[in-house]
């Protein structure tokens, strides 16, 4: 049952753009699709779910219809694969501060599909501000805040949690695209050369 609608849910949930390909591929014993950092106790090729059927509008696979968890007959049928366009999280490297008194202060914005949108300020905190200032080549973060914006303003990043040592926002815990209306994150960094 794996196809384009299921792939759409996976790519959107991961913030990885649109699906380019979705097909069964390999057998449960294959390790080509296994990623480093799987949960402890996971074994390569383990099948957790089968008979997944989505409408394509769900926020994650848990909202789709599926067979019982960890019960499967997938020995010969192959494990589902998806290839996403990758245009999602990569856009977090296109970052700017807008509307501030200088280039190192203002609303935090990311570029997605050619349009700038904000980062929801509800989870915005000093560690994320430190990462942003460092990434933009500014001085240390002086203030992390939020500002109310009109409902017509785009919000691309729903939540963002960093520990402060990351090299860029891609390394933080990020939930992207489709955020509800919320205030936008702001940051004030020292200008380069100021401390």
């Amino acid at each position: 049952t794996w196809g384009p609608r299921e792939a759409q849910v996976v790519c959107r949930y991961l913030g990885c753009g649109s699906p380019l390909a979705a097909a069964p591929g390999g057998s449960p014993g294959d390790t080509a699709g296994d990623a480093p950092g799987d949960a402890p106790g996971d074994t390569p090729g383990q099948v957790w779910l089968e008979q997944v059927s989505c409408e394509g509008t769900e926020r994650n696979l848990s909202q789709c219809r599926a067979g019982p968890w960890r019960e499967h007959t997938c020995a010969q049928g192959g494990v589902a694969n998806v290839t996403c366009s990758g245009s999602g999280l990569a856009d977090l490297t296109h970052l700017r501060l807008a509307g501030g008194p200088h280039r190192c202060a203002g609303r935090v914005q990311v570029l997605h599909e050619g349009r700038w949108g904000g980062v929801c300020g509800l989870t915005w905190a000093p560690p994320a501000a430190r990462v942003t200032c460092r990434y933009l080549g500014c001085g240390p973060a002086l203030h992390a805040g939020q500002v109310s914006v009109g409902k017509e303003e785009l919000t691309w990043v729903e939540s963002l949690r960093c520990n402060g040592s990351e090299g860029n926002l891609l390394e933080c815990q990020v939930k992207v695209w489709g955020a509800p209306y919320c205030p936008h994150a702001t940051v004030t960094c020292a200008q380069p050369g100021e401390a």
Side-chain angles (χ1 to χ4, degrees):
T1 62
W2 189 260
R5 292 180 298 185
E6 291 74 26
Q8 178 70 34
V9 174
V10 171
C11 292
R12 183 172 53 248
Y13 176 75
L14 294 174
C16 290
S18 302
L20 299 176
S27 65
D30 287 349
T31 59
D34 293 330
D38 285 343
D42 286 356
T43 57
Q46 201 162 18
V47 176
W48 294 99
L49 204 56
E50 77 170 0
Q51 299 173 1
V52 177
S53 178
C54 304
E55 296 296 320
T57 57
E58 297 87 350
R59 290 182 64 91
N60 58 58
L61 288 180
S62 68
Q63 295 178 337
C64 300
R65 292 183 305 280
W69 185 252
R70 297 178 78 175
E71 293 181 21
H72 64 86
T73 58
C74 198
Q76 301 282 337
V79 178
N81 287 307
V82 61
T83 302
C84 306
S85 67
S87 65
L89 288 176
D91 292 331
L92 290 180
T93 61
H94 299 290
L95 183 67
R96 73 178 184 185
L97 301 179
H102 52 80
R103 78 166 190 89
C104 291
R107 286 182 17 214
V108 182
Q109 294 188 329
V110 296
L111 184 65
H112 177 59
E113 296 181 346
R115 297 185 300 167
W116 291 96
V119 172
C120 184
L122 298 179
T123 60
W124 185 250
R130 287 196 296 274
V131 173
T132 300
C133 292
R134 189 169 49 247
Y135 181 75
L136 292 174
C138 298
L142 304 175
H143 178 72
Q146 56 183 268
V147 62
S148 293
V149 295
K151 292 187 188 274
E152 71 282 353
E153 294 283 339
L154 296 171
T155 304
W156 287 136
V157 179
E158 186 171 342
S159 67
L160 184 67
R161 297 184 192 278
C162 306
N163 64 31
S165 64
E166 297 88 349
N168 61 58
L169 296 180
L170 286 170
E171 297 173 18
C172 301
Q173 294 177 354
V174 182
K175 187 172 183 184
V176 293
W177 323 143
Y181 169 75
C182 66
H184 283 185
T186 63
V187 64
T188 301
C189 314
Q191 294 188 67
E194 296 179 355

